[in-house]
Amino acid sequence: MGKTALIVIDMINTYDHPDADQLLPSAETVVPVISGLLERARRQDAPVIYVNDNFGEWRSHHGELLDKALAGQHARLVEPLVPDESSLFVVKARHSIFFETPLSYLLTQQGIDQLVLVGQVTEQCVLYSSLDAHIRHFQVTVPRDAVAHIHEDLADAALRMMERNMGARVCDSGELWT
């Protein structure tokens, strides 16, 4: 049995994009949940890996993305989730955390075979990441109360697809790192 990592998807965010108004209410509810998971995972020395969109800022690195998000209008959603000194950070270009990133190699090198996916957006990046993790033979857990959505009906369908088609464990965050 390998290690379990907490993967935080796209939460370092300025919320300056076309569907942000639809995403914000859900993001506001998951931030405290993700913050609690971060605290519990870190207490148990579980690896924490942030995988974040670069928002078209191809010359940016994780520090610049973080600084921009913390300087933005919705910094209150980023502050509780700031990576600590032990966190790893991978910048992604598209929806999946695996597409054109070194994440698969990193996970293998760290002996990680179980992923807890949290973040946004359930019906997009979390769904595609879960599929890509499944085809790479990683075990996936998605705490339903730690993923934000734009469209609730699509998010519900996405969670059912992850559970049924990809063998993901869909649970409540309180069941993890207790």
Side-chain angles (χ1 to χ4, degrees):
M1 196 86 164
K3 293 193 294 190
T4 301
L6 179 62
I7 310 292
V8 181
I9 303 171
D10 290 339
M11 292 305 293
I12 307 304
N13 199 310
T14 61
Y15 297 93
D16 183 22
H17 44 81
D19 48 13
D21 287 340
Q22 292 172 279
L23 175 60
L24 279 166
S26 183
E28 289 170 351
T29 66
V30 304
V31 165
V33 176
I34 295 171
S35 179
L37 279 169
L38 284 165
E39 183 179 307
R40 295 194 316 264
R42 288 174 175 147
R43 256 197 326 259
Q44 294 194 19
D45 293 321
V48 174
I49 305 170
Y50 290 76
V51 185
N52 217 88
D53 197 336
N54 71 1
F55 303 106
E57 304 281 333
W58 289 104
R59 292 192 173 121
S60 292
H61 59 76
H62 72 279
E64 290 171 321
L65 294 171
L66 180 60
D67 290 346
K68 188 173 181 180
L70 289 171
Q73 180 180 354
H74 301 286
R76 73 191 186 314
L77 298 177
V78 178
E79 289 165 351
L81 308 178
V82 170
D84 69 4
E85 64 282 345
S86 67
S87 299
L88 302 175
F89 202 102
V90 175
V91 176
K92 68 182 182 70
R94 298 290 295 170
H95 297 80
S96 173
I97 59 178
F98 292 98
F99 181 74
E100 300 291 333
T101 74
L103 183 62
S104 191
Y105 180 80
L106 169 66
L107 296 171
T108 301
Q109 290 300 305
Q110 299 276 322
I112 297 166
D113 63 3
Q114 300 173 51
L115 310 178
V116 175
L117 303 181
V118 301
Q120 55 196 19
V121 168
T122 310
E123 65 271 28
Q124 295 173 15
C125 300
V126 177
L127 174 64
Y128 305 142
S129 298
S130 180
L131 174 60
D132 280 354
H134 173 72
I135 64 174
R136 287 168 175 79
H137 304 287
F138 291 100
Q139 294 177 358
V140 175
T141 298
V142 180
R144 68 176 60 83
D145 56 338
V147 288
H149 61 269
I150 296 170
H151 303 285
E152 186 173 6
D153 60 330
L154 296 178
D156 290 342
L159 288 168
R160 286 194 316 273
M161 289 173 63
M162 287 182 250
E163 191 170 43
R164 179 175 219 169
N165 299 344
M166 298 161 212
R169 175 181 173 217
V170 177
C171 65
D172 291 321
S173 63
E175 298 176 38
L176 304 171
W177 290 296
T178 57

